[in-house]
Amino acid sequence: MYKSILSFFLVICILPLYSQDNQLLIPPTISGESIELTLAEGSHQFFEGINTPTLGINGNILGPTIILQKGEQIDFTVNNQIGETTTIHWHGMHVSAENDGGPHTKILNNTSWNPNFTVLDKAATYWYHPHLHQNTNNHVLRGMAGLIIVQDDDEASLPLPREYGVDDIPLVIQTKTFDDDKLIVLGTSAKDTEVLANATRNAFVNVPAQIVRFRLLNGASQRIFELGLTNNMSFFQIASDGGLLASAVELKRLRLSPGERAEILIDLSSVEGQEIAIKSYASELQRGYYGAAQIGMNAMMTIPNYNTNPLNGSDFDILKLIVDEPNGNGVSIIPNQLVAVTPYNSSAVNNIRQLLFTPKTFSPSNMVNGPFVIDGNSFDINTINQTINLNDVEIWEITNQSMIAHPFHIHDVQFYIISRNGVPVPANEQGRKDVVLVPPMFGTVKFIAKFEDFANNTIPYMYHCHMLTHEDDGMMGQFVVVDPLSTNNKIIDNVTIFPNPTTKYIYVKGDELIKIKIINSQGIVLFSQSSFKKEIKIDMERFSSGIYYLKTKTINGTSIHKIVKL
Ligand code: C2O
Ligand code: CU
């Protein structure tokens, strides 16, 4: 009797110490010229035998991997059945503002959205996720996110592994917190204690002893992963956010911040029969990078629950690889040359923009917790923060006056990083990017981008921190790309201008004006005035004869009018 009670206690005490390994979930794929996605409530067993309520896309958790061919025209139907409003954004893809799925393109519950676009992007791994302001973090945490694989001829001509789920493995890395009932903890102050690989805790995958490609996404709300392999083996990065690199870059560590993707190749031919793991070596992260042992400079600068989170500063497994025999049709060499990477030329720059990250109000605690703002402003859905001329090449210079690193993301474009803290970035960051990690404590980043193909005066694109907690707290701004030479940009609000053509004066009349600018056909601003009147008279005699553009901003939107000075 005594003995059996003792062994009973031994069993219940010891059992929880064994962590159950779970087979990696591989999301299904979807492709074709019309793609239907249904967002709905579901449930998923993160913990064996316990159904946790989730939101999923065409299933209970995450979404299918969408496989697209460059050049193909796709019609999407996105059905929202989650019980509340959301949006779906194609992260990293170059699509028009109306198809981009940002916070303005709301999909009300029980309605559908039908974006359609031609795939203009290069072969790489992109992703899709909700983007409703102040709900992005919760909608992603509850389970909505999926990968997009774009394929093109350049990629197809390279000897790369591409058997999905076999030697080409999608890997969405996230963290979440579960409460005592194993419900997902929501909100911007939730700590994140569970590591998930494709929504699988303690995940393992069987892989052949050959070259295996992993498509990595950091889909976490805040956490930065410092990736490496347990046996200190090298691996090779072949693609960054928006394209293949010029050549495979050998790495021991790969830092992936929220929103970033990387495709890597691991040569497993020498470890057949062994078990290795992809880990995050978070003990190597420096102060100021979310996931490091210490976040702020001192005890006053800390994030609630940060120091008690067991993931911070410790090395942890993301995915165990059980290496089986080779499958006979694998790839056996890592290609050296990949594709031509041609960054935009700095000599062709039309404009330089500076962005500043600060806490909204300065205090030691706010330096790591936020809320953070860009150029002093919290996100306001009715304010256009930047106006960019179509086809312009721009350099963006970002300075981070906070004590925490922020992964900066911009919609519409892929950019090339010129420098971080004044020095060129390593080879694996010299390809096409749409997220860049800006270091803490006066860290700087410069990148160059070209704003091509899509102009829209009214629907803006977003730029923001991809720590979803920071984004939801307002660390986001909006830009419109405008075409000053387009004739269909005439009147989108109630502004009228007269006389036009003119010799002496021009009157601008209409809605309450906020700002008026006159720019020449090179995009140079010759006159700028803020006003809060309904009518304004501008002296035109100072300008030589020619064509000008009058840009107005009113309470109802912005517009561009062509003026002829005789
Ligand atoms: Cu991944 Cu604006 O988003
Ligand atoms: Cu941030």
Side-chain angles (χ1 to χ4, degrees):
M1 172 66 186
Y2 177 77
K3 220 176 155 187
S4 68
I5 286 174
L6 186 70
S7 58
F8 173 75
F9 274 106
L10 273 176
V11 166
I12 59 162
C13 292
I14 288 169
L15 257 183
L17 296 178
Y18 291 106
S19 61
Q20 181 79 41
D21 284 349
N22 302 299
Q23 186 162 7
L24 180 72
L25 178 147
I26 302 287
T29 61
I30 189 168
S31 58
E33 51 197 44
S34 74
I35 290 178
E36 182 157 4
L37 300 174
T38 299
L39 324 178
E41 291 176 290
S43 71
H44 178 68
Q45 294 199 356
F46 295 97
F47 299 84
E48 209 191 317
I50 301 171
N51 291 314
T52 297
T54 54
L55 295 177
I57 303 165
N58 295 2
N60 284 303
I61 187 73
L62 299 174
T65 299
I66 302 174
I67 301 185
L68 303 175
Q69 306 297 323
K70 184 176 182 184
E72 168 178 69
Q73 154 113 40
I74 317 287
D75 266 292
F76 285 93
T77 304
V78 183
N79 307 309
N80 177 8
Q81 294 171 8
I82 66 168
E84 56 188 89
T85 303
T86 191
T87 84
I88 286 291
H89 165 59
W90 322 104
H91 177 127
M93 295 192 70
H94 179 47
V95 299
S96 66
E98 57 273 30
N99 284 309
D100 190 51
H104 293 260
T105 313
K106 292 179 181 167
I107 319 172
L108 302 183
N109 185 42
N110 286 324
T111 67
S112 300
W113 176 50
N114 299 103
N116 56 83
F117 53 82
T118 302
V119 179
L120 300 174
D121 301 277
K122 293 184 189 286
T125 306
Y126 304 82
W127 65 304
Y128 61 104
H129 62 77
H131 212 306
L132 182 67
H133 185 50
Q134 293 178 327
N135 292 268
T136 298
N137 188 35
N138 284 352
H139 288 173
V140 173
L141 276 177
R142 289 169 74 186
M144 292 193 287
L147 291 180
I148 299 171
I149 296 175
V150 173
Q151 301 177 328
D152 67 10
D153 292 346
D154 289 346
E155 192 269 352
S157 70
L158 292 165
L160 294 171
R162 53 175 74 82
E163 200 181 337
Y164 184 80
V166 176
D167 64 5
D168 184 352
I169 298 183
L171 192 58
V172 179
I173 308 168
Q174 295 176 300
T175 48
K176 297 188 202 295
T177 322
F178 296 87
D179 68 11
D180 294 342
D181 298 322
K182 304 297 184 233
L183 298 174
I184 299 167
V185 178
L186 303 176
T188 54
S189 60
K191 64 175 181 174
D192 58 328
T193 49
E194 295 288 341
V195 180
L196 301 165
N198 298 346
T200 314
R201 291 171 57 249
N202 306 318
F204 73 87
V205 65
N206 288 78
V207 280
Q210 62 202 44
I211 293 169
V212 177
R213 177 184 196 168
F214 289 88
R215 297 174 184 269
L216 310 172
L217 160 68
N218 182 340
S221 302
Q222 296 163 280
R223 183 167 297 275
I224 296 166
F225 301 105
E226 187 78 2
L227 302 171
L229 296 170
T230 40
N231 53 1
N232 208 29
M233 241 168 79
S234 295
F235 54 94
F236 295 83
Q237 186 174 346
I238 56 166
S240 55
D241 298 330
L244 290 162
L245 297 171
S247 54
V249 178
E250 184 172 355
L251 299 171
K252 297 263 192 202
R253 291 288 184 269
L254 169 61
R255 181 170 297 178
L256 210 60
S257 66
E260 285 186 295
R261 289 87 63 212
E263 293 180 24
I264 60 166
L265 300 180
I266 309 179
D267 184 352
L268 296 166
S269 56
S270 64
V271 287
E272 185 176 342
Q274 297 179 34
E275 189 182 300
I276 64 170
I278 300 175
K279 286 177 86 90
S280 178
Y281 290 89
S283 64
E284 298 171 15
L285 284 171
Q286 305 90 328
R287 216 177 258 269
Y289 291 81
Y290 191 103
Q294 304 289 322
I295 193 73
M297 301 277 287
N298 56 45
M300 295 216 292
M301 285 186 198
T302 192
I303 295 174
N305 298 320
Y306 189 90
N307 294 336
T308 54
N309 187 331
L311 298 182
N312 291 331
S314 57
D315 301 339
F316 52 86
D317 282 3
I318 287 167
L319 177 65
K320 289 198 184 83
L321 310 180
I322 299 170
V323 186
D324 299 334
E325 56 189 33
N327 68 14
N329 44 27
V331 170
S332 56
I333 49 159
I334 309 256
N336 185 23
Q337 290 309 115
L338 297 168
V339 296
V341 173
T342 42
Y344 306 110
N345 195 328
S346 310
S347 66
V349 166
N350 303 89
N351 196 8
I352 298 176
R353 250 168 245 271
Q354 277 148 345
L355 261 56
L356 180 66
F357 299 167
T358 60
K360 190 172 186 177
T361 50
F362 281 87
S363 81
S365 160
N366 292 355
M367 289 301 262
V368 291
N369 286 291
F372 299 100
V373 290
I374 303 177
D375 299 329
N377 300 312
S378 269
F379 180 70
D380 172 8
I381 200 154
N382 296 313
T383 301
I384 304 295
N385 304 90
Q386 317 280 343
T387 301
I388 299 172
N389 286 329
L390 183 66
N391 292 323
D392 272 6
V393 175
E394 296 205 342
I395 290 177
W396 287 37
E397 302 179 344
I398 303 171
T399 303
N400 179 8
Q401 284 184 10
S402 76
M403 295 291 177
I404 188 168
H406 301 276
F408 179 79
H409 170 54
I410 181 168
H411 292 206
D412 182 31
V413 296
Q414 291 288 325
F415 55 77
Y416 296 90
I417 307 171
I418 296 171
S419 63
R420 177 185 283 120
N421 287 349
V423 295
V425 290
N428 66 309
E429 288 191 280
Q430 286 180 15
R432 293 162 68 83
K433 294 284 295 165
D434 56 62
V435 178
V436 58
L437 189 59
V438 186
M441 299 175 242
F442 294 92
T444 60
V445 160
K446 278 189 203 184
F447 65 74
I448 187 166
K450 185 169 185 187
F451 298 82
E452 299 174 281
D453 304 315
F454 304 113
N456 187 320
N457 288 342
T458 45
I459 304 177
Y461 291 107
M462 302 295 128
Y463 55 88
H464 57 90
C465 176
H466 220 290
M467 288 172 84
L468 302 181
T469 49
H470 294 179
E471 175 189 336
D472 277 344
D473 269 352
M475 196 178 179
M476 178 155 72
Q478 3 191 40
F479 67 98
V480 285
V481 179
V482 297
D483 182 359
L485 306 177
S486 148
T487 45
N488 48 26
N489 269 338
K490 271 186 184 154
I491 297 180
I492 55 103
D493 52 13
N494 298 322
V495 177
T496 49
I497 54 172
F498 56 93
N500 187 20
T502 183
T503 48
K504 286 196 169 119
Y505 295 106
I506 199 148
Y507 292 89
V508 183
K509 197 172 171 179
D511 287 347
E512 191 164 309
L513 296 157
I514 295 168
K515 194 153 203 169
I516 294 184
K517 278 183 188 173
I518 294 179
I519 55 181
N520 67 13
S521 49
Q522 280 83 50
I524 295 165
V525 179
L526 303 173
F527 168 87
S528 170
Q529 185 179 321
S530 295
S531 123
F532 293 94
K533 295 179 191 144
K534 292 200 170 171
E535 183 175 328
I536 239 183
K537 180 182 176 187
I538 303 170
D539 171 17
M540 291 297 289
E541 276 185 312
R542 66 186 115 175
F543 302 124
S544 50
S545 320
I547 291 172
Y548 298 88
Y549 299 91
L550 179 88
K551 232 182 201 179
T552 63
K553 185 172 168 185
T554 73
I555 45 171
N556 291 321
T558 55
S559 72
I560 293 186
H561 310 254
K562 194 175 184 177
I563 335 173
V564 180
K565 168 76 197 307
L566 298 173

